[in-house]
Amino acid sequence: MVLRGGGCGNVASLPDLAYRTEAYQQHGESVSSSTAEKRLVDLKAEFPWLKDVSSVILQQTLRDQKSAFDNFFNPKLRARYPRFKRKGGRQSIRLTKAAFRYREGEITLAKSKVPLPIRWSRPLPCEPSSITISQDRAGRYFISCLCEFAPNALPITPRMVGIDLGLTDLFITSDGAKSGNSHHLKRYEAKLAYLQRRLAKKRKGSNNRNKLRRKVARLHVKIADSRRDAIHKATRTLINENQVLCIESLNITGMVKNRHLAKAISDAGWGEFVRQLEYKAAWAGRQVVKVNQWFPSSKLCHGCGHKVDKLPLSQRHWHCKGCGEPIDRDINAAKNIRTAGLAGLACGATGAGAAA
Ligand SMILES: [Zn+2]
């Protein structure tokens, strides 16, 4: 068997993943679910700390692991071989209802008498059906709860907007609004580079190295937080103000492979922007229409339809040869995306690939 890299598994699955791998490599056996569960009983005898948590969590881990292996053996999915979690990476456990108790806004884990000291970001709409407790790389703990609720649709508005995602500005709308881009990463980049240089010089396993590693992790977290926060505010405003939001479907994975753009694109957070826009639209009863990414939104003059053959990325403004009007690259693109999206909507097409 060829071992490939990948990420899945769980803290508690560590001994078991090794067991499965060994069974396969040495005896060519695949471990069945029932064997894995029997093995879990042995493990509990061997490692008493496994009994500190509810057995539900361990069984959930086994189920997660099984689906990871099922994915791996499914040739259609091309999934990677399940891999151990890094000790310093993000850790998480998922708990179903039997493993926790929810009462009057407090969550108590099974086998524990005291409720978790949670600082809630918002009240829960109902009793959660499952919760996930995670620890990020900076050592902070989070709890996310799965709740069912009926979202409140926003009152319908006649406004429809086209959105072009950019680098100088995170987004530009067909109304001519430019978001600006706070360049969080850029601002912290120098500091991050400095810390990482220092980190590289520290001896592995030393206390100073660990302290510095935490510091780097905290900076990463700070950057990610402020970026996400800015995107939340932007998508909230767009959803509140518009009924239909037309946007280019982006092949972000492909774009990030372009080394010159990769960092700027990851920094801008296009993927997160689209994700937030889509779920907020679904909650608010708004519609996100995706326009085919090969649609030449930048090269087409929105006024007269004249198309320029070549348009270097650096050229932000020009005069259209068809109608002579001055063109702002991004606003023009957003207007074209709006037109294409609405045309697609009129034909009944939605989602990716609409209105090319
Ligand atoms: Zn023109």
Side-chain angles (χ1 to χ4, degrees):
M1 175 192 287
V2 187
L3 293 189
R4 287 173 287 182
C8 85
N10 211 318
V11 199
S13 73
L14 290 184
D16 208 60
L17 177 57
Y19 176 70
R20 279 188 196 245
T21 305
E22 206 179 284
Y24 190 87
Q25 283 178 336
Q26 298 193 348
H27 317 289
E29 285 170 9
S30 73
V31 176
S32 70
S33 297
S34 61
T35 315
E37 270 181 43
K38 272 183 212 136
R39 158 101 180 140
L40 186 58
V41 178
D42 297 342
L43 283 175
K44 277 186 183 176
E46 199 178 329
F47 304 104
W49 51 267
L50 280 173
K51 292 186 194 159
D52 291 350
V53 292
S54 159
S55 60
V56 175
I57 297 168
L58 301 174
Q59 273 150 15
Q60 184 60 49
T61 306
L62 281 186
R63 273 195 294 274
D64 289 346
Q65 194 182 64
K66 184 177 181 303
S67 64
F69 271 97
D70 287 347
N71 289 346
F72 174 67
F73 286 117
N74 184 343
K76 275 185 200 154
L77 293 178
R78 302 178 69 190
R80 292 163 161 182
Y81 187 80
R83 215 177 53 159
F84 292 126
K85 272 265 195 279
R86 287 172 66 105
K87 196 180 165 203
R90 181 179 178 271
Q91 311 275 339
S92 77
I93 46 167
R94 199 147 51 91
L95 296 88
T96 45
K97 236 171 187 170
F100 68 91
R101 206 171 54 240
Y102 176 80
R103 198 171 292 157
E104 286 161 21
E106 285 191 320
I107 288 175
T108 313
L109 300 185
K111 302 203 175 186
S112 164
K113 288 193 178 70
V114 274
L116 293 172
I118 301 173
R119 215 166 61 214
W120 294 99
S121 59
R122 77 197 75 155
L124 294 183
C126 64
E127 189 176 340
S129 57
S130 82
I131 60 175
T132 302
I133 300 173
S134 59
Q135 186 192 32
D136 70 8
R137 287 179 58 90
R140 303 181 304 177
Y141 284 95
F142 292 92
I143 184 161
S144 47
C145 305
L146 186 65
C147 295
E148 247 179 58
F149 71 104
N152 288 330
L154 291 171
I156 290 173
T157 143
R159 289 187 61 174
M160 297 177 261
V161 75
I163 303 164
D164 182 45
L165 296 179
L167 295 176
T168 321
D169 294 279
L170 171 59
F171 66 89
I172 298 96
T173 71
S174 50
D175 309 328
K178 297 191 174 190
S179 70
N181 193 345
S182 33
H183 291 293
H184 304 290
L185 194 57
K186 244 187 187 167
R187 204 186 315 149
Y188 292 120
E189 214 164 44
K191 193 176 176 193
L192 195 62
Y194 165 73
L195 286 179
Q196 269 164 342
R197 265 199 312 276
R198 275 181 57 198
L199 184 66
K201 285 179 190 155
K202 296 275 185 265
R203 194 162 43 82
K204 272 204 168 170
S206 70
N207 253 343
N208 279 334
R209 185 191 166 87
N210 269 340
K211 264 191 245 165
L212 208 54
R213 195 184 55 76
R214 276 280 154 103
K215 217 170 176 179
V216 169
R218 273 202 301 274
L219 188 57
H220 271 299
V221 160
K222 194 172 173 183
I223 295 167
D225 280 358
S226 47
R227 179 191 297 154
R228 201 168 30 242
D229 192 54
I231 296 176
H232 265 300
K233 284 180 184 141
T235 49
R236 174 44 59 206
T237 313
L238 285 166
I239 291 287
N240 283 351
E241 290 175 355
N242 298 284
Q243 187 64 30
V244 178
L245 305 102
C246 307
I247 196 160
E248 245 177 324
S249 68
L250 298 165
N251 173 10
I252 291 168
T253 335
M255 285 177 167
V256 171
K257 278 187 188 140
N258 176 342
R259 279 197 314 134
H260 299 293
L261 287 178
K263 209 171 204 175
I265 290 174
S266 318
D267 191 17
W270 290 359
E272 178 64 13
F273 180 87
V274 176
R275 188 191 72 83
Q276 288 186 12
L277 207 60
E278 285 183 320
Y279 88 76
K280 287 179 185 175
W283 285 5
R286 306 299 205 212
Q287 197 162 10
V288 174
V289 182
K290 284 190 175 170
V291 174
N292 191 309
Q293 59 166 322
W294 305 119
F295 172 71
S297 57
S298 301
K299 291 177 184 165
L300 224 52
C301 166
H302 182 260
C304 69
H306 177 81
K307 189 181 161 193
V308 287
D309 296 328
K310 256 194 179 157
L311 189 61
L313 212 56
S314 56
Q315 196 173 346
R316 314 310 300 178
H317 298 272
W318 69 94
H319 280 270
C320 171
K321 282 197 181 119
C323 60
E325 287 294 310
I327 289 180
D328 175 305
R329 180 195 183 102
D330 301 309
I331 298 177
N332 179 57
K335 283 181 175 168
N336 280 329
I337 290 169
R338 182 181 187 271
T339 310
L342 295 183
L345 199 62
C347 306
T350 56

